[in-house]
Each structure stands twice: as structure tokens, then as C-alpha cells.
Amino acid sequence: MGKVSETKSLKAVLERFEETNEALSVVNLIEEFKDQMNRTTVYRILARLEENGYLQSFSGTGGLKWYAKTNESKAKDNNTVYPHFQCEDCGKTERLPIDVPVPEIAEHQVKTVSFLLVGSCGQCDEGI
Ligand SMILES: [Zn+2]
């Protein structure tokens, strides 16, 4: 496959996030797009999307970096955190349909917040 322009690469990554409410790990994204762009491009696109508030990142189990869509209507709102749930069994990481307010702490300025809950998802739990 030939070299794909950065604009096209950006569009491909955006579309990938549009079609799911799940968080995607950097490792997965690099693997998925390996025919279209190199890992440096993936990293650069993710960093850019995080900068303009479209994505938020957090560390999952094993120190992997994950990215997920922010709630678009609140993309610039730093006072709300969107918790994710990561299943230890199947690795699925989904954004929970709840917003958690970030507490105000006197004399401290919060810059980034991540909130990850780890456990078993409904599907894996059934199999026990
Ligand atoms: Zn699971």
C-alpha cells in the first residue's frame, strides 16, 4: 500500500473512534493501521486529537496507553471526568455512561484526571 497523506490518516483514525464507544489502546491502533501509516504518525495524530479535546488518554492495566472519545459537548470542560471500565479477562475497555465531577481542591490546580475501573465485564462474568 502506498504512502497515505497525513490528512487521510487523521480521517481514518477519527472514523475509527467514531464507530465505537470503546477506548482503543495505542498498541491496537498501530496494529490496525500498520498498512496505512507508521507508528510515529499514529502517535502524532493521537497527540493532536488529545490536544484539541477530541480524545482523552489514560493508562490501562500493564501501563498501556489508551485513548477514548471525550463527550463532544463537553470537550473543553476540565471539570468532568469520563470514567472507563477495563475488563481484566477480555481486555475490553468501555466508557461508562456517567460523568464524574472533579472535586475542587484549594491551592491545587488539576490539569489532567483519569478514572479507570478494572474488573470483569458482564459478558465475562456470565462465564464463571
Ligand atoms: Zn470481559
Side-chain angles (χ1 to χ4, degrees):
M1 205 178 237
K3 198 170 175 284
V4 180
S5 77
E6 177 119 356
T7 314
K8 267 192 188 160
S9 304
L10 178 70
K11 204 163 164 253
V13 173
L14 273 175
E15 276 168 7
R16 182 65 186 87
F17 277 99
E18 281 303 326
E19 69 195 24
T20 180
N21 262 331
E22 288 180 29
L24 303 165
S25 78
V26 173
V27 173
N28 284 346
L29 288 165
I30 287 169
E31 176 64 24
E32 266 185 56
F33 289 110
K34 69 179 178 197
D35 294 333
Q36 295 171 57
M37 59 190 96
N38 62 34
R39 65 170 58 215
T40 316
T41 307
V42 175
Y43 280 119
R44 196 165 52 229
I45 288 172
L46 292 171
R48 194 201 289 182
L49 291 174
E50 186 175 18
E51 238 169 64
N52 55 34
Y54 179 79
L55 296 178
Q56 61 170 299
S57 67
F58 56 92
S59 293
T61 51
L64 267 183
K65 200 166 185 187
W66 291 74
Y67 282 90
K69 270 187 300 195
T70 48
N71 186 336
E72 291 80 0
S73 62
K74 296 180 184 172
K76 297 285 179 190
D77 180 359
N78 288 325
N79 299 317
T80 309
V81 62
Y82 314 100
H84 284 78
F85 186 92
Q86 186 161 65
C87 176
E88 280 183 312
D89 301 314
C90 66
K92 189 169 121 171
T93 303
E94 57 195 319
R95 189 173 73 194
L96 299 175
I98 49 170
D99 295 343
V100 180
V102 176
E104 300 248 355
I105 307 158
E107 291 170 37
H108 291 72
Q109 196 197 346
V110 177
K111 286 191 177 157
T112 59
V113 183
S114 56
F115 190 173
L116 180 69
L117 305 164
V118 180
S120 297
C121 75
Q123 281 164 347
C124 292
D125 214 27
E126 274 171 22
I128 291 170

